[in-house]
Amino acid sequence: MEREDDIRQAVEVLRKGGVILYPTDTVWGIGCDATNAEAVARVYAIKQRDDHKAMICLVDSDVRLQRYVRNVPDVAWDMMELANKPLTVILDNAVNLAPNLIADDGSIAMRITHEEFSKELCYRFQKPLVSTSANISGEPAAQNYRDISEEILQAVDYVCKSRRQEHKPHTPSSIVKLTQNGEVTIIRK
């Protein structure tokens, strides 16, 4: 299957409120429309994860990021530009997202992807995608397609075909929390 067809099918499933498995700029992810509360609830259920634990959203550009976070601090742009590996930034004042995705303090974890497949997927979908590791909560993250459990594969509506043959180490993103007053906390290196 061509990458173009793979992305088209994934976007079709996402627009219908479905859940997909897809390769990202880090590990394989479980994804859905980050503005659809029912789809987000399904992802929590698939991961068997407490819905009070936040999940990351992936976007394709700084312009898209600004549609979902009010007043992104300048330091966030600097950190993302200078990062030497994928960087997820937890930002205050999340807007226009599923309420069950936004943390109790009003923050959201966002990452701009630069990896070819996930960037194109986000661009074509025109909304943020939930991007949580393709595993049951507490189990190791699926670095490659072959690491994904049958339980996860059966629980989603579409499994992307792209990058399934990869067999190389992938690691989760670094995560930092930024507050409006400029305070920075490293959550994961």
mmCIF file of all heavy atoms in Angstrom, residues 151-172:
data_model
loop_
_atom_site.group_PDB
_atom_site.id
_atom_site.type_symbol
_atom_site.label_atom_id
_atom_site.label_comp_id
_atom_site.label_asym_id
_atom_site.label_seq_id
_atom_site.Cartn_x
_atom_site.Cartn_y
_atom_site.Cartn_z
ATOM 1 N N GLU A 151 -3.711 -7.775 21.640
ATOM 2 C CA GLU A 151 -4.843 -7.118 22.309
ATOM 3 C C GLU A 151 -5.023 -5.684 21.801
ATOM 4 O O GLU A 151 -6.137 -5.250 21.512
ATOM 5 C CB GLU A 151 -4.609 -7.119 23.825
ATOM 6 C CG GLU A 151 -5.753 -6.549 24.623
ATOM 7 C CD GLU A 151 -5.530 -6.649 26.128
ATOM 8 O OE1 GLU A 151 -4.476 -7.157 26.576
ATOM 9 O OE2 GLU A 151 -6.427 -6.204 26.864
ATOM 10 N N ILE A 152 -3.934 -4.955 21.673
ATOM 11 C CA ILE A 152 -3.987 -3.573 21.161
ATOM 12 C C ILE A 152 -4.360 -3.581 19.680
ATOM 13 O O ILE A 152 -5.208 -2.802 19.236
ATOM 14 C CB ILE A 152 -2.639 -2.842 21.379
ATOM 15 C CG1 ILE A 152 -2.331 -2.688 22.867
ATOM 16 C CG2 ILE A 152 -2.612 -1.501 20.667
ATOM 17 C CD1 ILE A 152 -3.143 -1.670 23.611
ATOM 18 N N LEU A 153 -3.740 -4.459 18.896
ATOM 19 C CA LEU A 153 -4.027 -4.529 17.457
ATOM 20 C C LEU A 153 -5.509 -4.784 17.193
ATOM 21 O O LEU A 153 -6.095 -4.190 16.279
ATOM 22 C CB LEU A 153 -3.186 -5.627 16.795
ATOM 23 C CG LEU A 153 -1.686 -5.356 16.682
ATOM 24 C CD1 LEU A 153 -0.932 -6.626 16.302
ATOM 25 C CD2 LEU A 153 -1.410 -4.246 15.681
ATOM 26 N N GLN A 154 -6.118 -5.631 18.002
ATOM 27 C CA GLN A 154 -7.538 -5.971 17.814
ATOM 28 C C GLN A 154 -8.491 -4.881 18.299
ATOM 29 O O GLN A 154 -9.642 -4.830 17.880
ATOM 30 C CB GLN A 154 -7.860 -7.288 18.538
ATOM 31 C CG GLN A 154 -7.143 -8.497 17.974
ATOM 32 C CD GLN A 154 -7.483 -8.747 16.516
ATOM 33 O OE1 GLN A 154 -8.623 -8.653 16.090
ATOM 34 N NE2 GLN A 154 -6.454 -9.037 15.716
ATOM 35 N N ALA A 155 -8.013 -4.014 19.175
ATOM 36 C CA ALA A 155 -8.891 -3.018 19.812
ATOM 37 C C ALA A 155 -9.104 -1.759 18.971
ATOM 38 O O ALA A 155 -10.047 -1.002 19.223
ATOM 39 C CB ALA A 155 -8.325 -2.622 21.179
ATOM 40 N N VAL A 156 -8.258 -1.517 17.974
ATOM 41 C CA VAL A 156 -8.343 -0.282 17.194
ATOM 42 C C VAL A 156 -9.108 -0.511 15.889
ATOM 43 O O VAL A 156 -9.358 -1.643 15.487
ATOM 44 C CB VAL A 156 -6.952 0.316 16.900
ATOM 45 C CG1 VAL A 156 -6.212 0.612 18.216
ATOM 46 C CG2 VAL A 156 -6.126 -0.594 16.005
ATOM 47 N N ASP A 157 -9.456 0.600 15.224
ATOM 48 C CA ASP A 157 -10.232 0.529 13.984
ATOM 49 C C ASP A 157 -9.366 0.472 12.726
ATOM 50 O O ASP A 157 -9.827 0.039 11.682
ATOM 51 C CB ASP A 157 -11.157 1.748 13.898
ATOM 52 C CG ASP A 157 -12.072 1.828 15.104
ATOM 53 O OD1 ASP A 157 -12.776 0.847 15.393
ATOM 54 O OD2 ASP A 157 -12.077 2.889 15.776
ATOM 55 N N TYR A 158 -8.134 0.953 12.824
ATOM 56 C CA TYR A 158 -7.249 0.933 11.661
ATOM 57 C C TYR A 158 -5.800 0.876 12.137
ATOM 58 O O TYR A 158 -5.435 1.575 13.082
ATOM 59 C CB TYR A 158 -7.449 2.184 10.789
ATOM 60 C CG TYR A 158 -6.594 2.177 9.539
ATOM 61 C CD1 TYR A 158 -6.901 1.333 8.474
ATOM 62 C CD2 TYR A 158 -5.476 2.982 9.438
ATOM 63 C CE1 TYR A 158 -6.113 1.302 7.337
ATOM 64 C CE2 TYR A 158 -4.670 2.958 8.299
ATOM 65 C CZ TYR A 158 -4.993 2.115 7.254
ATOM 66 O OH TYR A 158 -4.208 2.082 6.131
ATOM 67 N N VAL A 159 -4.999 0.041 11.476
ATOM 68 C CA VAL A 159 -3.580 -0.061 11.768
ATOM 69 C C VAL A 159 -2.828 0.397 10.521
ATOM 70 O O VAL A 159 -2.975 -0.204 9.451
ATOM 71 C CB VAL A 159 -3.167 -1.508 12.125
ATOM 72 C CG1 VAL A 159 -1.677 -1.570 12.445
ATOM 73 C CG2 VAL A 159 -3.997 -2.036 13.296
ATOM 74 N N CYS A 160 -2.063 1.461 10.648
ATOM 75 C CA CYS A 160 -1.313 1.991 9.505
ATOM 76 C C CYS A 160 -0.324 0.941 8.996
ATOM 77 O O CYS A 160 0.235 0.172 9.770
ATOM 78 C CB CYS A 160 -0.588 3.276 9.888
ATOM 79 S SG CYS A 160 -1.729 4.653 10.157
ATOM 80 N N LYS A 161 -0.131 0.940 7.691
ATOM 81 C CA LYS A 161 0.768 -0.023 7.038
ATOM 82 C C LYS A 161 2.211 0.489 6.991
ATOM 83 O O LYS A 161 3.147 -0.298 6.934
ATOM 84 C CB LYS A 161 0.307 -0.288 5.603
ATOM 85 C CG LYS A 161 -1.175 -0.588 5.450
ATOM 86 C CD LYS A 161 -1.518 -1.990 5.845
ATOM 87 C CE LYS A 161 -2.935 -2.381 5.485
ATOM 88 N NZ LYS A 161 -3.957 -2.005 6.419
ATOM 89 N N SER A 162 2.369 1.801 6.983
ATOM 90 C CA SER A 162 3.689 2.408 6.833
ATOM 91 C C SER A 162 4.611 2.077 8.011
ATOM 92 O O SER A 162 4.166 2.003 9.153
ATOM 93 C CB SER A 162 3.562 3.925 6.708
ATOM 94 O OG SER A 162 2.802 4.256 5.570
ATOM 95 N N ARG A 163 5.874 1.858 7.696
ATOM 96 C CA ARG A 163 6.955 1.640 8.664
ATOM 97 C C ARG A 163 6.786 0.365 9.504
ATOM 98 O O ARG A 163 7.413 0.232 10.554
ATOM 99 C CB ARG A 163 7.143 2.868 9.547
ATOM 100 C CG ARG A 163 7.686 4.069 8.773
ATOM 101 C CD ARG A 163 7.908 5.297 9.617
ATOM 102 N NE ARG A 163 8.582 5.005 10.851
ATOM 103 C CZ ARG A 163 8.491 5.750 11.948
ATOM 104 N NH1 ARG A 163 7.773 6.854 11.949
ATOM 105 N NH2 ARG A 163 9.133 5.428 13.057
ATOM 106 N N ARG A 164 5.976 -0.565 9.072
ATOM 107 C CA ARG A 164 5.808 -1.810 9.835
ATOM 108 C C ARG A 164 7.073 -2.661 9.852
ATOM 109 O O ARG A 164 7.278 -3.440 10.760
ATOM 110 C CB ARG A 164 4.664 -2.647 9.260
ATOM 111 C CG ARG A 164 3.307 -2.126 9.617
ATOM 112 C CD ARG A 164 2.276 -3.155 9.263
ATOM 113 N NE ARG A 164 0.932 -2.672 9.485
ATOM 114 C CZ ARG A 164 -0.148 -3.413 9.326
ATOM 115 N NH1 ARG A 164 -0.038 -4.671 8.930
ATOM 116 N NH2 ARG A 164 -1.337 -2.897 9.544
ATOM 117 N N GLN A 165 7.900 -2.548 8.817
ATOM 118 C CA GLN A 165 9.088 -3.401 8.698
ATOM 119 C C GLN A 165 10.264 -2.920 9.537
ATOM 120 O O GLN A 165 11.264 -3.623 9.650
ATOM 121 C CB GLN A 165 9.522 -3.494 7.227
ATOM 122 C CG GLN A 165 8.430 -3.977 6.294
ATOM 123 C CD GLN A 165 7.727 -5.239 6.770
ATOM 124 O OE1 GLN A 165 8.371 -6.176 7.232
ATOM 125 N NE2 GLN A 165 6.407 -5.252 6.698
ATOM 126 N N GLU A 166 10.167 -1.731 10.098
ATOM 127 C CA GLU A 166 11.283 -1.182 10.882
ATOM 128 C C GLU A 166 11.616 -2.049 12.085
ATOM 129 O O GLU A 166 10.729 -2.546 12.764
ATOM 130 C CB GLU A 166 10.923 0.216 11.407
ATOM 131 C CG GLU A 166 11.342 1.306 10.506
ATOM 132 C CD GLU A 166 11.050 2.673 11.124
ATOM 133 O OE1 GLU A 166 10.807 2.786 12.335
ATOM 134 O OE2 GLU A 166 11.059 3.622 10.355
ATOM 135 N N HIS A 167 12.905 -2.177 12.333
ATOM 136 C CA HIS A 167 13.384 -2.895 13.523
ATOM 137 C C HIS A 167 14.562 -2.109 14.075
ATOM 138 O O HIS A 167 15.709 -2.503 13.920
ATOM 139 C CB HIS A 167 13.804 -4.324 13.182
ATOM 140 C CG HIS A 167 12.685 -5.151 12.662
ATOM 141 N ND1 HIS A 167 11.622 -5.529 13.428
ATOM 142 C CD2 HIS A 167 12.451 -5.648 11.428
ATOM 143 C CE1 HIS A 167 10.777 -6.241 12.705
ATOM 144 N NE2 HIS A 167 11.251 -6.319 11.490
ATOM 145 N N LYS A 168 14.278 -0.974 14.674
ATOM 146 C CA LYS A 168 15.352 -0.175 15.254
ATOM 147 C C LYS A 168 14.857 0.463 16.541
ATOM 148 O O LYS A 168 13.662 0.599 16.756
ATOM 149 C CB LYS A 168 15.857 0.870 14.262
ATOM 150 C CG LYS A 168 14.823 1.871 13.793
ATOM 151 C CD LYS A 168 15.449 2.785 12.744
ATOM 152 C CE LYS A 168 14.496 3.899 12.357
ATOM 153 N NZ LYS A 168 15.062 4.803 11.386
ATOM 154 N N PRO A 169 15.779 0.825 17.409
ATOM 155 C CA PRO A 169 15.358 1.397 18.689
ATOM 156 C C PRO A 169 14.695 2.770 18.507
ATOM 157 O O PRO A 169 15.155 3.591 17.720
ATOM 158 C CB PRO A 169 16.653 1.530 19.481
ATOM 159 C CG PRO A 169 17.767 1.116 18.595
ATOM 160 C CD PRO A 169 17.221 0.696 17.285
ATOM 161 N N HIS A 170 13.598 2.954 19.193
ATOM 162 C CA HIS A 170 12.911 4.239 19.260
ATOM 163 C C HIS A 170 12.668 4.521 20.737
ATOM 164 O O HIS A 170 12.411 3.603 21.504
ATOM 165 C CB HIS A 170 11.554 4.188 18.538
ATOM 166 C CG HIS A 170 11.665 3.995 17.068
ATOM 167 N ND1 HIS A 170 11.903 5.020 16.196
ATOM 168 C CD2 HIS A 170 11.573 2.883 16.294
ATOM 169 C CE1 HIS A 170 11.942 4.562 14.957
ATOM 170 N NE2 HIS A 170 11.754 3.256 14.994
ATOM 171 N N THR A 171 12.723 5.771 21.113
ATOM 172 C CA THR A 171 12.490 6.123 22.510
ATOM 173 C C THR A 171 11.395 7.165 22.602
ATOM 174 O O THR A 171 11.188 7.937 21.660
ATOM 175 C CB THR A 171 13.765 6.671 23.172
ATOM 176 O OG1 THR A 171 14.237 7.778 22.399
ATOM 177 C CG2 THR A 171 14.846 5.607 23.255
ATOM 178 N N PRO A 172 10.695 7.205 23.726
ATOM 179 C CA PRO A 172 9.674 8.237 23.930
ATOM 180 C C PRO A 172 10.312 9.629 23.922
ATOM 181 O O PRO A 172 11.529 9.770 24.098
ATOM 182 C CB PRO A 172 9.094 7.910 25.300
ATOM 183 C CG PRO A 172 9.440 6.484 25.545
ATOM 184 C CD PRO A 172 10.750 6.260 24.839
#
